[in-house]
């Protein structure tokens, strides 16, 4: 069965396009079919360019990795649907954190880039000098989260009914666009739907837009009226969270801008890599996981075949 690369819109996809179109192409088109498949499929040759882009696409920087550890630990424990201790939560996160670091150090991710952790700092540099600080951030985020009223008073209260934990879900806009959302945690508290978003980074304006999209999803898919939706971004590193009601006027604008973004991005499907520009702000490249690809052709706007050939030459010269 052939898996089709069909267009679907997500907040991160649109942000990536704004950041660097070339990076967008690598992520959403170039890496397509680059994954190791089923044991039967593994006998087939995988395109080296797609495989390389697919592996680089999975790479995380240490701050993103800290965020992933926090999110994945919370998800794992919530999915048990049973109360748990802070000690168990923290011990599990620390184990997972160091396991990933070892995978990154050993290059185990080359066997399966999706399954094992690959970190930018180890691939492109000498590693992470101060792992203890990152470990402490993971622990502090989880302690703040666990000791908050969200966990202590709300999540396990008999009146709360859970709706979703990190579920990949979608809904339609303009009758034709598939919009992907992943809500960290959502529950019904009496007649209100509360949608949580755990953030390990800094506060940003984008959060509100992202939450507005979650509200649209809750309204269209779960049929929750807007006045019964509460949006709650929780900055776990800072230990601050807010509860926002839905502003229907703002929501309309967000919907319009998402549809406009879909109109623009959906037509780029399957077009030439040369139509996707390198970012003009090259300072972004210093922290980009695809930089070895762009540097291999000295940022020349070449075709897919030229890019593939150049990467093969670079790999051969490194042997
Ligand atoms: S290295 Fe720079 S130009 Fe290349 S994909 Fe990354 S951000 Fe874009």
């Amino acid at each position: 069965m052939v898996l089709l690369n069909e267009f679907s819109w997500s907040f991160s996809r649109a942000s990536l396009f704004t950041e660097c179109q070339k990076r967008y192409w690598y992520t959403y088109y170039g890496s397509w079919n680059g994954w190791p498949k089923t044991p039967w499929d593994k006998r087939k040759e995988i395109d080296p360019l797609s495989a390389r882009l697919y592996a680089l696409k999975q790479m995380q920087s240490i701050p993103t990795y800290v965020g992933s550890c926090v999110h994945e630990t919370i998800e794992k424990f919530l999915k048990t649907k049973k109360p748990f201790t802070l000690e168990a939560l923290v011990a599990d996160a620390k184990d997972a954190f160091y396991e990933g670091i070892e995978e990154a150090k050993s290059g185990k991710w080359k066997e399966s880039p999706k399954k094992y952790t690959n970190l930018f700092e180890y691939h492109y540099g000498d590693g992470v000098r101060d792992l203890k600080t990152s470990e402490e951030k993971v622990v502090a985020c989880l302690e703040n989260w666990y000791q908050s009223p969200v966990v202590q008073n709300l999540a396990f209260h008999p009146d709360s009914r859970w709706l979703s934990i990190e579920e990949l879900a979608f809904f339609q806009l303009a009758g034709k666009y598939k919009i992907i959302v992943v809500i960290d945690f959502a529950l019904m508290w009496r007649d209100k739907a509360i949608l949580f978003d755990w953030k390990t980074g800094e506060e940003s304006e984008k959060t509100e837009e992202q939450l507005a999209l979650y509200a649209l999803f809750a309204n269209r898919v779960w049929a929750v009226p807007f006045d019964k939706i509460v949006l709650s971004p929780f900055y776990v590193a800072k230990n601050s969270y807010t509860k926002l009601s839905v502003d229907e006027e703002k929501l309309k604008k967000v919907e319009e801008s998402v549809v406009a973004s879909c109109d623009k991005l959906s037509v780029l499907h399957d077009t030439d890599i040369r139509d996707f520009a390198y970012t003009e702000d090259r300072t972004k490249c210093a922290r980009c996981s695809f930089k070895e690809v762009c540097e291999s052709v000295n940022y020349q706007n070449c075709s897919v075949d030229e890019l593939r050939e150049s990467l093969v030459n670079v790999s051969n010269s490194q042997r």
Side-chain angles (χ1 to χ4, degrees):
M1 198 179 79
V2 179
L3 201 54
L4 294 176
N5 188 0
E6 282 172 346
F7 177 77
S8 57
W9 190 95
S10 68
F11 197 79
S12 51
R13 182 172 187 151
S15 305
L16 194 57
F17 185 80
T18 312
E19 228 175 86
C20 174
Q21 294 182 15
K22 205 61 98 181
R23 189 170 173 182
Y24 177 90
W25 187 89
Y26 299 149
T27 305
Y28 289 100
Y29 301 116
S31 67
W32 191 255
N33 269 326
W35 50 87
K37 301 178 191 172
T38 61
W40 187 85
D41 281 335
K42 267 184 185 169
R43 287 185 241 146
K44 291 183 193 167
E45 190 70 21
I46 299 174
D47 173 44
L49 175 62
S50 308
R52 173 88 74 114
L53 295 174
Y54 179 74
L56 295 175
K57 175 182 159 177
Q58 314 302 327
M59 191 184 284
Q60 300 183 73
S61 65
I62 195 79
T64 318
Y65 178 60
V66 164
S68 301
C69 283
V70 171
H71 274 81
E72 284 165 20
T73 308
I74 292 176
E75 178 186 355
K76 180 176 169 186
F77 277 74
L78 281 180
K79 281 186 171 167
T80 64
K81 300 202 171 156
K82 290 180 197 144
F84 44 85
T85 64
L86 176 60
E87 290 70 26
L89 186 79
V90 167
D92 198 277
K94 280 189 188 177
D95 286 350
F97 176 79
Y98 282 108
E99 198 179 316
I101 296 291
E102 287 310 312
E103 287 165 10
K105 275 185 188 169
S106 67
K108 203 173 177 191
W109 56 271
K110 287 176 186 155
E111 288 167 29
S112 175
K114 182 83 175 168
K115 196 166 161 199
Y116 300 111
T117 306
N118 180 9
L119 295 176
F120 181 93
E121 288 77 0
Y122 288 94
H123 185 68
Y124 285 111
D126 302 333
V128 183
R129 279 204 203 117
D130 191 5
L131 277 175
K132 195 73 191 151
T133 304
S134 299
E135 180 209 305
E136 282 167 4
K137 185 167 179 189
V138 171
V139 173
C141 288
L142 290 173
E143 282 176 350
N144 291 339
W145 177 79
Y146 184 85
Q147 284 156 356
S148 72
V150 176
V151 179
Q152 296 303 318
N153 305 337
L154 195 64
F156 295 98
H157 192 283
D159 285 351
S160 73
R161 184 168 59 82
W162 296 10
L163 295 169
S164 162
I165 308 164
E166 294 275 358
E167 216 172 284
L168 183 80
F170 66 91
F171 67 112
Q172 276 207 335
L173 281 186
K176 56 182 172 178
Y177 295 129
K178 187 174 172 182
I179 312 296
I180 307 279
V181 290
V182 182
I183 302 175
D184 290 341
F185 184 43
L187 56 79
M188 287 302 296
W189 170 255
R190 298 178 179 147
D191 66 342
K192 292 240 158 82
I194 312 182
L195 315 181
F196 293 101
D197 195 25
W198 324 128
K199 296 276 182 207
T200 52
E202 293 297 312
E203 294 185 30
S204 98
E205 279 176 15
K206 283 184 178 176
T207 304
E208 255 191 73
E209 240 179 276
Q210 194 179 356
L211 287 168
L213 212 61
Y214 296 170
L216 277 174
F217 169 83
N219 176 260
R220 307 276 159 94
V221 178
W222 295 331
V224 185
F226 288 126
D227 63 348
K228 301 287 182 199
I229 295 174
V230 178
L231 305 168
S232 186
F234 187 166
Y235 293 88
V236 283
K238 283 185 167 178
N239 199 15
S240 90
Y241 72 93
T242 41
K243 290 178 184 165
L244 310 165
S245 52
V246 173
D247 178 334
E248 289 192 48
E249 275 310 303
K250 264 194 196 164
L251 219 58
K252 254 188 221 157
K253 286 190 184 138
V254 169
E255 183 172 352
E256 280 165 14
S257 81
V258 171
V259 171
S261 172
C262 288
D263 289 341
K264 183 172 161 187
L265 299 183
S266 60
V267 295
L268 296 173
H269 212 57
D270 285 341
T271 47
D272 195 318
I273 182 179
R274 287 167 290 197
D275 296 339
F276 295 77
Y278 291 106
T279 177
E280 283 174 16
D281 177 6
R282 293 288 160 81
T283 57
K284 286 181 182 153
C285 304
R287 303 292 306 157
C288 173
S289 55
F290 293 109
K291 67 177 178 176
E292 65 185 31
V293 181
C294 291
E295 285 169 1
S296 77
V297 289
N298 293 322
Y299 294 89
Q300 286 174 63
N301 202 11
C302 52
S303 68
V304 173
D305 286 339
E306 287 163 338
L307 187 59
R308 187 180 291 114
E309 198 183 318
S310 156
L311 272 177
V312 169
N313 291 340
V314 169
S315 302
N316 289 341
S317 69
Q318 286 169 347
R319 274 182 195 147

